[in-house]
Amino acid sequence: MSSGINHHGIWAIYRFEMARSLRTVWQSIATPVITTSLYFVVFGGAIGSRMSTVGGVGYGSFIVPGLIMLSLLTQSISNASIGIYFPKFTGTVFELLSAPVTSMEMVAGFVGAAASKSIVLGLLILATSTLFVPLHIAHPLAMIAFLVLTSVTFSLFGFIIGVWANGFEQLSVVPALLVTPLTFLGGAFYSIDMLPQPWRTVSLFNPVVYLISGFRWSFFDKGDVSIALSLGVTAAFMVACLVAIALIFRTGWRLKA
């Protein structure tokens, strides 16, 4: 018996999840792109006309990284949580658990598909943004790296939420009541340098600040915090999610009940 990675098993889960997304392409892709366009109309038009630049960057261009990150976080969590929740809901999770794939191979399939969908969505929103504002990406490789790292990290987080959830309502609780507010308060539409003390210091306890700042740095070569700190916080959160998932499979928490 081979002790190598079961690529066929990973590919089967990945392909199934991607096919499921294609059946709901309007909800998965079109709706976030339309929503982003509306953000540009409201924020870029109404606020941008009164706020010409932020840190030397045009306001319309300044909010692009924040808009992409807002969609990236919510969609990564949503895609991954629904992906693992449905097998739990239908009972097919037991077939997955008894299949000749390891727990990490199963996670790779689900998380890989969720992250892939989020990356495609992020690139589509980026392309849509160029229709509204001029954009120059100072560090394109860093931008892609941040896009991938964030998508994978929050897909892992979404996987945990999907395992934790006991109903469809709980699937939307964390994105709606935690992630989206933290993103709005994390500098998506403003620089935290614009905040008076002590609110600027308080903002530094918001982990989303580091994600948005690092992503914005890749566009404009400037951010609210150092790029090293942004990468460190993101990597630490990814490691924490991996540890949590390892514990879930080791104990069978909410998977084998």
Side-chain angles (χ1 to χ4, degrees):
M1 182 176 178
S2 173
S3 59
I5 298 174
N6 186 347
H7 296 95
H8 293 292
I10 296 173
W11 174 245
I13 296 172
Y14 178 89
R15 186 175 57 184
F16 178 83
E17 285 299 301
M18 294 301 290
R20 181 177 60 81
S21 180
L22 290 175
R23 293 194 294 269
T24 57
V25 66
W26 179 258
Q27 177 183 351
S28 302
I29 301 297
T31 301
V33 170
I34 293 173
T35 302
T36 300
S37 300
L38 292 175
Y39 273 122
F40 273 109
V41 172
V42 174
F43 285 91
I47 300 178
S49 61
R50 293 168 173 78
M51 186 185 300
S52 56
T53 62
V54 178
V57 179
Y59 184 72
S61 301
F62 179 83
I63 65 175
V64 170
L67 284 174
I68 296 175
M69 195 60 66
L70 174 62
S71 295
L72 208 65
L73 300 189
T74 54
Q75 290 300 311
S76 295
I77 292 172
S78 175
N79 290 331
S81 61
I82 291 174
I84 187 59
Y85 178 77
F86 267 113
K88 282 180 53 189
F89 180 72
T90 60
T92 56
V93 69
F94 299 109
E95 297 177 12
L96 286 170
L97 292 172
S98 61
V101 292
T102 66
S103 58
M104 287 300 106
E105 288 167 351
M106 186 193 305
V107 172
F110 281 110
V111 170
S116 296
K117 288 180 277 188
S118 298
I119 291 168
V120 170
L121 176 62
L123 294 175
L124 282 174
I125 292 175
L126 178 61
T128 303
S129 302
T130 61
L131 301 176
F132 294 90
V133 294
L135 272 181
H136 171 71
I137 303 175
H139 307 283
L141 292 180
M143 187 274 289
I144 294 296
F146 246 102
L147 198 67
V148 172
L149 181 61
T150 304
S151 297
V152 171
T153 300
F154 277 81
S155 292
L156 289 168
F157 185 49
F159 188 92
I160 296 170
I161 293 172
V163 173
W164 162 77
N166 279 327
F168 287 100
E169 297 81 5
Q170 290 185 346
L171 289 177
S172 60
V173 166
V174 173
L177 299 183
L178 181 63
V179 176
T180 299
L182 285 179
T183 305
F184 274 99
L185 297 172
F189 302 107
Y190 60 89
S191 169
I192 64 170
D193 287 335
M194 300 168 65
L195 297 174
Q197 290 291 5
W199 299 114
R200 186 184 186 282
T201 301
V202 170
S203 295
L204 295 176
F205 290 93
N206 180 355
V208 179
V209 165
Y210 301 91
L211 299 174
I212 295 176
S213 176
F215 196 51
R216 185 169 283 139
W217 173 87
S218 70
F219 279 79
F220 311 121
D221 200 27
K222 59 180 69 176
D224 293 323
V225 296
S226 71
I227 183 63
L229 190 56
S230 295
L231 286 171
V233 170
T234 307
F237 187 56
M238 174 185 280
V239 171
C241 289
L242 286 170
V243 170
I245 289 173
L247 290 173
I248 286 172
F249 279 100
R250 180 175 297 178
T251 61
W253 180 71
R254 295 208 174 184
L255 281 177
K256 298 180 181 179

